């Protein structure tokens, strides 16, 4: 014995005139057919604004004093040839990175030519002072010792994508 589905009753028959009347009534209530589509406004934001670096507020960023000390040490190690430049590319703007990479390559080239002594001095950060002129912006003055010399470094940090990035650098 096999089970069969219960028969479904067919809807009552409608005359052609009644069907046309029902369709006209429905189309009178709906002003016109509009096909569903995704509403995308491409005129307000560029790809760079949507997918490029996004500003970050101060509350979403780490302590600028500690961070300035670490990035200053890393940047000076790149400039003295101790550290490869690509290690700081994530924490610098393209303009600052270009200067650092060029300076690091110059030091490495001089060292290979024998024009610079092979002695590498350790970079030590002594003091960091930070001021925050705007939300998500920090300016740091850092005192460092490179071997027997004491130097000053000034940097501007901008909050981007949840981290600090060096946007300006001056070594004195």
């Amino acid at each position: 014995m096999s089970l069969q589905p219960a028969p479904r009753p067919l809807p009552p028959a409608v005359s052609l005139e009644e069907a046309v009347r029902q369709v006209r009534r429905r189309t009178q209530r709906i002003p016109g057919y509009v096909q569903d589509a995704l509403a995308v406004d491409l005129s307000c934001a560029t790809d760079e604004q949507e997918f490029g670096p996004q500003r970050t507020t101060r509350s979403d960023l780490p302590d600028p004093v500690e961070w300035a000390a670490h990035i200053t040490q890393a940047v000076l190690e790149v400039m003295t040839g101790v550290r490869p430049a690509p290690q700081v590319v994530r924490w610098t703007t393209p303009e600052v990175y270009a200067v650092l990479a060029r300076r690091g390559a110059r030091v490495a080239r001089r060292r290979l030519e024998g024009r610079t002594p092979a002695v590498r001095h350790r970079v030590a950060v002594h003091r960091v002072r930070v001021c925050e002129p705007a939300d998500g912006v920090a300016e740091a003055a850092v005192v460092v010792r490179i071997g027997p010399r004491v130097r000053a470094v000034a940097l501007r940090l901008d909050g981007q994508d949840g981290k600090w990035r060096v946007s300006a650098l001056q070594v004195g």
Side-chain angles (χ1 to χ4, degrees):
M1 177 191 241
S2 68
L3 293 177
Q4 294 182 353
R8 293 186 187 163
L10 295 174
V14 177
S15 69
L16 180 62
E17 292 85 25
E18 178 63 25
V20 169
R21 234 178 295 137
Q22 287 177 0
V23 168
R24 285 186 180 152
R25 238 182 296 144
R26 275 190 243 134
T27 57
Q28 287 173 355
R29 281 184 270 154
I30 301 172
Y33 177 73
V34 177
Q35 180 178 354
D36 291 337
L38 180 61
V40 179
D41 184 10
L42 300 175
S43 64
C44 26
T46 65
D47 286 347
E48 184 64 29
Q49 291 169 331
E50 288 292 327
F51 304 109
Q54 301 294 315
R55 290 196 53 79
T56 304
T57 62
R58 172 64 182 96
S59 60
D60 298 330
L61 293 165
D63 178 31
V65 174
E66 184 179 327
W67 202 88
H70 290 301
I71 194 63
T72 300
Q73 180 156 0
V75 162
L76 289 176
E77 287 174 355
V78 168
M79 293 174 81
T80 58
V82 175
R83 180 188 293 252
Q87 287 187 5
V88 296
V89 73
R90 293 175 44 200
W91 297 292
T92 57
T93 59
E95 298 82 16
V96 172
Y97 176 74
V99 172
L100 291 175
R102 205 169 35 246
R103 176 103 180 243
R106 188 177 344 134
V107 168
R109 192 170 45 249
R110 284 183 178 172
R111 191 167 282 135
L112 285 174
E113 293 170 353
R115 293 191 298 171
T116 305
V119 178
R120 293 183 180 175
H121 296 292
R122 185 172 176 270
V123 175
V125 175
H126 281 280
R127 194 174 313 130
V128 179
R129 299 278 189 242
V130 173
C131 109
E132 298 182 41
D135 187 35
V137 176
E139 294 176 347
V142 184
V143 178
V144 295
R145 180 181 294 274
I146 304 172
R149 296 185 67 186
V150 175
R151 301 184 87 165
V153 178
L155 14 121
R156 181 179 175 97
L157 308 172
D158 290 329
Q160 283 185 351
D161 299 330
K163 64 183 178 235
W164 291 111
R165 289 185 76 183
V166 179
S167 59
L169 175 72
Q170 183 69 46
V171 180

